Amino acid sequence: MSDTIGVIGATRGTGLEVMRQLIASGRPAVAVARNLEKARGLFGDKATLVYGDVTRPETLAEAIDPAWAGLVFTVDISGGIGGRGMFAGREAIRAVMYGGLVNTVEAAKKRGFTGRVVLLSTIGLSIDSTSMKILNWIKSGLRDHSLDKGEYLKRSGVEWTIVRAGILNKKASGEHTLLVTGEDQPLQMRYQIGRADLARLMLASVTHPAVRNREFSAFWGEAGHDSDEQLAAKLATAFGA
Ligand SMILES: NC(=O)c1ccc[n+]([C@@H]2O[C@H](COP(=O)([O-])OP(=O)(O)OC[C@H]3O[C@@H](n4cnc5c(N)ncnc54)[C@H](OP(=O)(O)O)[C@@H]3O)[C@@H](O)[C@H]2O)c1
């Protein structure tokens, strides 16, 4: 197994933060992108760029390298109002959110991938809240698509970690400590996390033994900064170990 991490969803949001951190740390990174021109503009020659569209399984077989240590999956539907797929049709959203993960993992399995898939999900999918109802309406079926992708991954036979993130924002990393817990939480504004901090946690989850085949919630705690060691300790004790 190589040290390389593959990132799908690399050209925006959390996946882009994952890529930036990999590049900054000098760790080999592969961005799987459906828009290579955009990826080239973002990463230049600092990462390997390969074409892959998660709704087109035939493109994934070539894109995924079985030697990767981990595959970070942060894909979400783009386009439409706000560029985030709001009010797109339910089936179009499902094809990316759920179908995209299934296509990716099936391609990885066929290629003999033995690393860990780290999947970005959302807190509060199973807890009734007004925010979740609204989100599920503007992004039709999001709750089912997200729950189904998690359940699929757990049964897929690959090694996995699911990170249920709080409400995402673009604020800089390192200004808040992180809370990591096996418990789910309702989708509420008090459970927020910056994409850059989340990216750091997702990368730490690629190899951490305590979160192998585990699902946990992550959101900001008090002001401050977790060192790498503190972050690793939080993952180690997320399930009461
Ligand atoms: N928004 C929240 O508050 C919140 C909270 C918790 C969890 N989440 C979860 O976080 C995830 C989204 O994270 P984000 O907002 O950071 O991501 P994002 O900014 O929406 O980025 C999505 C990425 O997916 C890529 N993508 C879209 N369709 C694709 C396709 N067919 N093939 C390959 N790549 C494709 C996009 O590529 P392009 O650049 O080419 O468009 C982009 O790189 C979702 O799973 C969501 O449920 C969101």
Side-chain angles (χ1 to χ4, degrees):
M1 191 180 288
S2 75
D3 199 32
T4 304
I5 309 276
V7 184
I8 311 194
T11 48
R12 207 169 75 165
T14 310
L16 176 56
E17 294 296 338
V18 170
M19 284 298 298
R20 285 181 175 146
Q21 290 176 26
L22 284 167
I23 289 168
S25 70
R27 188 165 184 182
V30 179
V32 178
R34 62 183 175 159
N35 183 341
L36 281 180
E37 204 176 319
K38 181 177 180 184
R40 219 168 280 122
L42 288 165
F43 312 122
D45 59 1
K46 296 194 177 95
T48 304
L49 314 178
V50 294
Y51 178 76
D53 181 330
V54 298
T55 62
R56 296 178 53 216
E58 72 280 7
T59 67
L60 298 170
E62 286 300 304
I64 294 168
D65 183 340
W68 291 343
L71 192 168
V72 176
F73 189 94
T74 60
V75 168
D76 198 359
I77 187 162
S78 305
I81 298 167
R84 300 201 170 268
M86 290 167 191
F87 301 109
R90 183 184 174 104
E91 287 315 310
I93 295 171
R94 187 169 180 83
V96 176
M97 289 192 93
Y98 171 73
L101 177 76
V102 172
N103 291 338
T104 300
V105 172
E106 290 304 314
K109 281 163 64 176
K110 268 193 204 135
R111 294 278 281 140
F113 172 77
T114 55
R116 187 176 300 177
V117 175
V118 179
L119 171 66
L120 176 52
S121 187
T122 308
I123 61 166
L125 292 168
S126 306
I127 301 175
D128 204 26
S129 70
T130 306
S131 309
M132 184 51 74
K133 281 197 184 95
I134 293 170
L135 189 58
N136 197 51
W137 175 65
I138 59 178
K139 232 162 162 175
S140 181
L142 172 138
R143 190 191 330 230
D144 285 348
H145 311 325
S146 301
L147 284 170
D148 290 350
K149 76 178 177 182
E151 288 311 307
Y152 159 78
L153 183 60
K154 290 177 196 173
R155 290 193 308 265
S156 67
V158 300
E159 194 174 301
W160 57 272
T161 297
I162 299 172
V163 184
R164 291 184 300 237
I167 294 175
L168 302 179
N169 66 54
K170 290 183 180 169
K171 292 184 187 153
S173 170
E175 292 175 13
H176 291 83
T177 60
L178 295 182
L179 294 177
V180 178
T181 167
E183 304 290 314
D184 198 5
Q185 302 293 345
L187 188 74
Q188 293 174 351
M189 280 312 280
R190 65 192 159 124
Y191 299 114
Q192 287 191 58
I193 185 166
R195 285 180 171 89
D197 284 323
L198 174 61
R200 199 170 157 231
L201 193 60
M202 292 189 78
L203 280 174
S205 299
V206 170
T207 49
H208 200 299
V211 293
R212 178 181 182 273
N213 295 351
R214 292 287 206 160
E215 180 170 8
F216 64 86
S217 306
F219 39 90
W220 274 345
E222 59 198 17
H225 174 70
D226 293 315
S227 66
D228 290 348
E229 292 71 24
Q230 284 168 322
L231 211 54
K234 286 183 178 183
L235 289 172
T237 53
F239 300 93

